[in-house]
């Protein structure tokens, strides 16, 4: 799940226009922004299949802090509390809601590797839509496009749809495997791409909405 997360951000932006758009935009990607740092610190682990670029063959061995429902929620609460102090209580609350939404959308596509509590031996969930690449690819873009069209002011819709289409196309190889091997050769490289992808998308979308 990539661009689908930003559909939730657009919904929150439309509901709470007094909150700067960057707050929900960063919020929905907060777990995937945190995740690369935990990977580099050796606190979380992912295994890349060098023989296939398909998302379903990437094994998220352990990510109890960035992607568990409970612990990631507590971390987002800390970030939200800080935002509440320096920006506004509403901004802090919206950030937390945006961040928590990430886990619930991820459950749709992940392969029963998402921790609920993050504690050792705890339950992991995931409905596994990544096993059906065409359905996953189409449904994510349709979800993004529908929410964008329904909640965003008309002036912003073309730019946001174009941004979403571009972002989705950048990720297309992980759905359909157009290359025989995986262009991403290491877990750290994969983590960096995730970090750049979420921060970059957030900044461009913020520019469209505020520029």
């Amino acid at each position: 799940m990539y661009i689908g997360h930003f559909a939730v951000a657009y919904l929150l932006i439309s509901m709470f226009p007094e909150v700067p758009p960057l707050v929900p935009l960063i919020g929905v990607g907060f777990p995937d922004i945190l995740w690369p740092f935990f990977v580099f610190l050796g606190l979380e682990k992912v295994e890349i299949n060098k023989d296939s670029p398909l998302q379903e063959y990437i094994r998220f061995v352990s990510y109890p802090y960035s992607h568990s429902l409970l612990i990631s929620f507590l971390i987002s609460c800390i970030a939200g509390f800080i935002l509440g102090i320096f920006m506004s209580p509403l901004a802090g609350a919206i950030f937390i809601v945006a961040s928590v939404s990430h886990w619930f959308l991820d459950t749709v596509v992940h392969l029963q590797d998402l921790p609920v509590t993050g504690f050792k031996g705890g339950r992991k969930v995931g409905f596994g839509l990544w096993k059906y690449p065409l359905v996953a690819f189409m449904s994510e873009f349709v979800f993004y496009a529908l929410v964008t069209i329904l909640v965003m002011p008309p002036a912003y819709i073309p730019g946001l749809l174009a941004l979403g289409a571009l972002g989705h196309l950048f990720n297309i190889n992980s759905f359909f495997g157009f290359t025989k091997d995986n262009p991403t050769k290491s877990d750290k490289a994969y983590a960096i791409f995730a970090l750049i992808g979420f921060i970059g998308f957030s900044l461009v979308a913020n520019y469209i909405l505020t520029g």
Side-chain angles (χ1 to χ4, degrees):
M1 184 69 68
Y2 176 38
I3 65 168
H5 290 299
F6 293 99
V8 177
Y10 300 159
L11 178 61
L12 292 172
I13 289 168
S14 70
M15 293 173 64
F16 303 96
E18 63 270 40
V19 175
L22 200 57
V23 171
L25 286 169
I26 293 292
V28 296
F30 188 55
D32 275 351
I33 292 172
L34 284 178
W35 176 66
F37 296 99
F38 287 126
V39 170
F40 271 84
L41 290 171
L43 298 174
E44 298 190 341
K45 185 178 180 181
V46 60
E47 292 180 354
I48 304 298
N49 187 331
K50 295 181 180 180
D51 298 323
S52 173
L54 293 176
Q55 189 70 46
E56 64 175 300
Y57 294 129
I58 295 175
R59 290 189 63 239
F60 296 97
V61 179
S62 174
Y63 46 3
Y65 308 112
S66 65
H67 277 75
S68 66
L69 178 59
L70 177 60
I71 296 179
S72 66
F73 167 70
L74 295 176
I75 294 174
S76 71
C77 284
I78 295 172
F81 179 75
I82 294 171
L83 276 177
I85 293 174
F86 290 99
M87 190 171 291
S88 73
L90 180 60
I94 294 303
F95 183 88
I96 295 169
V97 171
S99 180
V100 172
S101 75
H102 188 105
W103 187 89
F104 286 97
L105 281 187
D106 271 3
T107 60
V108 177
V109 296
H110 275 248
L111 309 177
Q112 290 192 323
D113 56 21
L114 281 171
V116 176
T117 65
F119 301 140
K120 187 175 181 179
R123 184 184 178 191
K124 295 182 179 181
V125 300
F127 294 110
L129 193 61
W130 277 334
K131 293 179 181 179
Y132 311 96
L134 180 60
V135 176
F137 184 82
M138 295 302 297
S139 60
E140 183 172 359
F141 185 77
V142 168
F143 174 65
Y144 175 92
L146 280 177
V147 174
T148 301
I149 292 169
L150 289 173
V151 306
M152 286 286 97
Y156 301 135
I157 291 175
L160 294 175
L161 287 179
L163 175 62
L166 184 61
H168 208 35
L169 288 175
F170 274 136
N171 205 29
I172 194 171
N173 195 39
S174 68
F175 286 93
F176 299 113
F178 294 125
T179 61
K180 292 183 178 180
D181 57 359
N182 196 332
T184 306
K185 301 301 183 183
S186 71
D187 57 346
K188 291 181 173 58
Y190 184 74
I192 289 173
F193 285 141
L195 180 64
I196 293 172
F198 274 92
I199 291 180
F201 196 108
S202 298
L203 293 176
V204 175
N206 184 66
Y207 176 79
I208 292 172
L209 293 169
T210 62

